[in-house]
């Protein structure tokens, strides 16, 4: 079966890793993502993952506790590496070949980021996990996802969330909210819809990288999207 998207960049937020305890890493969640990613690899898709760190630390948190923003951001980036190691472990348990890459050099645990090398891993069928964000403060892992999606020439940026797409209003607060199946980049801007932060969004828009916002917790969604099913909201 032909795949609609062959090379994908999956953005997994740190928050998506935390379970009911609301902090840290939940092993069942981790296992769920690993199994979903494994199915994608079995289909023949090339998978890169950008992992967030919000389940452990966010730079903005630092400011509240008297730590400087830049230092807080580095703490946040290190948190993504912790998550990256955890995801790598879970994928390896499923028998998936992986490479953990860090934008902040940490050669004992992760490869440094070398674009051509990362692409080579993808071509060989290895799941590439990008950790450490962009390596620079003042950015987010959404922006990292947009940046890496462009750099590796991904067919799609898949943003996994708790809701099944983009709505006219917050569906967790407004019961009359309805879901968009498709949106243009221009309409997202015109209607001031928050898909990703502006830096991330602009990177995708300027370089025509489509974004799919979808529910990451529903089994089979990742595979369905890659096979061309209409799941979530497509921004293109
Ligand atoms: N961060 C950063 N530069 C980057 C990516 C991330 O400084 O390129 C820091 C930032 O402080 C951020 C934290 O790392 O709050 C964790 O990332 P993020 O909040 O994007 O994680 P997510 O929301 O996806 O869990």
């Amino acid at each position: 079966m032909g795949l609609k998207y062959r090379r994908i960049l999956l953005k997994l937020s740190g928050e998506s890793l935390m379970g009911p305890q609301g902090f840290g890493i939940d092993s069942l969640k981790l296992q769920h993502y690993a199994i979903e990613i494994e199915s994608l690899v079995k289909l023949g898709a090339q998978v890169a993952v950008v992992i967030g760190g919000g389940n452990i630390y966010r730079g903005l948190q630092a400011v509240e506790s008297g730590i400087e923003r830049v230092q807080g951001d580095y703490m946040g980036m290190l948190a993504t590496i912790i998550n990256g190691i955890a995801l790598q472990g879970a994928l390896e348990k499923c028998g998936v070949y992986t490479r953990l890459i860090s934008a902040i050099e940490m050669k004992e645990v992760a490869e440094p980021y070398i674009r051509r090398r990362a692409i080579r891993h993808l071509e060989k069928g290895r799941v590439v996990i990008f950790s450490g964000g962009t390596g620079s403060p003042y950015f987010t892992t959404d922006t990292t996802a947009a940046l890496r999606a462009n750099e590796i020439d991904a067919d799609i940026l898949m943003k996994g969330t708790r809701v099944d797409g983009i709505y006219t209003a917050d569906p967790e607060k407004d019961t009359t909210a309805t879901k968009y199946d498709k949106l243009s980049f221009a309409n997202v801007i015109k209607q001031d819809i928050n898909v990703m932060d502006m830096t991330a969004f602009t990177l995708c828009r300027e370089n025509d990288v489509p974004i799919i916002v979808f529910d990451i917790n529903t089994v089979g969604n990742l595979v369905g999207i890659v096979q061309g099913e209409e799941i979530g909201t497509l921004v293109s």
Side-chain angles (χ1 to χ4, degrees):
M1 187 185 193
L3 299 182
K4 182 162 185 204
Y5 305 110
R6 219 173 75 82
R7 181 175 292 170
I8 69 152
L9 189 301
L10 172 67
K11 164 69 208 294
L12 266 185
S13 72
E15 276 185 8
S16 62
L17 292 184
M18 62 193 194
Q21 78 273 29
F23 178 83
I25 301 169
D26 183 84
S27 59
L28 283 179
K29 286 257 177 172
L30 203 56
Q31 199 185 12
H32 163 73
Y33 301 129
I35 292 170
E36 292 293 291
I37 293 169
E38 181 199 8
S39 329
L40 273 187
V41 174
K42 281 191 175 151
L43 278 181
Q46 297 181 4
V47 188
V49 184
V50 166
I51 187 97
N55 56 323
I56 300 173
Y57 205 82
R58 277 183 208 282
L60 287 174
Q61 235 169 286
V63 181
E64 293 160 24
S65 55
I67 295 170
E68 261 181 54
R69 168 72 193 262
V70 170
Q71 288 172 316
D73 279 343
Y74 276 109
M75 291 165 75
M77 286 185 262
L78 294 181
T80 71
I81 302 175
I82 295 177
N83 287 334
I85 296 171
L87 181 65
Q88 180 177 44
L91 283 164
E92 281 177 347
K93 259 196 191 154
C94 296
V96 176
Y97 294 107
T98 64
R99 289 291 187 275
L100 178 63
I101 292 179
S102 172
I104 295 175
E105 209 175 300
M106 202 184 277
K107 63 184 190 315
E108 283 77 8
V109 293
E111 284 185 7
Y113 175 60
I114 299 167
R115 177 179 163 266
R116 284 165 185 274
R117 195 150 136 194
I119 291 173
R120 190 80 193 111
H121 290 320
L122 291 170
E123 287 168 351
K124 289 194 168 173
R126 298 166 186 149
V127 171
V128 170
I129 305 165
F130 291 118
S131 66
T134 59
S136 298
Y138 295 104
F139 289 105
T140 63
T141 51
D142 273 4
T143 299
T144 311
L147 176 65
R148 297 291 184 242
N150 276 288
E151 287 183 285
I152 65 167
D153 199 18
D155 299 322
I156 185 102
L157 194 170
M158 303 178 79
K159 182 172 159 75
T161 65
R162 285 183 301 175
V163 283
D164 62 349
I166 301 171
Y167 280 75
T168 50
D170 183 349
E172 286 174 354
K173 290 180 191 141
D174 185 346
T175 50
T176 63
T178 53
K179 194 185 122 219
Y180 295 106
D181 291 330
K182 286 193 176 111
L183 273 169
S184 65
F185 283 112
N187 269 332
V188 168
I189 302 237
K190 202 156 84 192
Q191 295 174 49
D192 199 18
I193 299 169
N194 186 18
V195 179
M196 299 179 113
D197 62 75
M198 247 357 220
T199 316
F201 185 79
T202 305
L203 263 175
C204 289
R205 185 170 77 132
E206 284 179 354
N207 301 294
D208 278 328
V209 175
I211 306 168
I212 273 190
V213 179
F214 70 104
D215 175 7
I216 182 81
N217 293 311
T218 301
V219 175
N221 266 358
L222 267 181
V223 162
I225 290 168
V226 165
Q227 288 182 324
E229 280 174 47
E230 295 210 344
I231 295 167
T233 303
L234 175 68
V235 182
S236 59

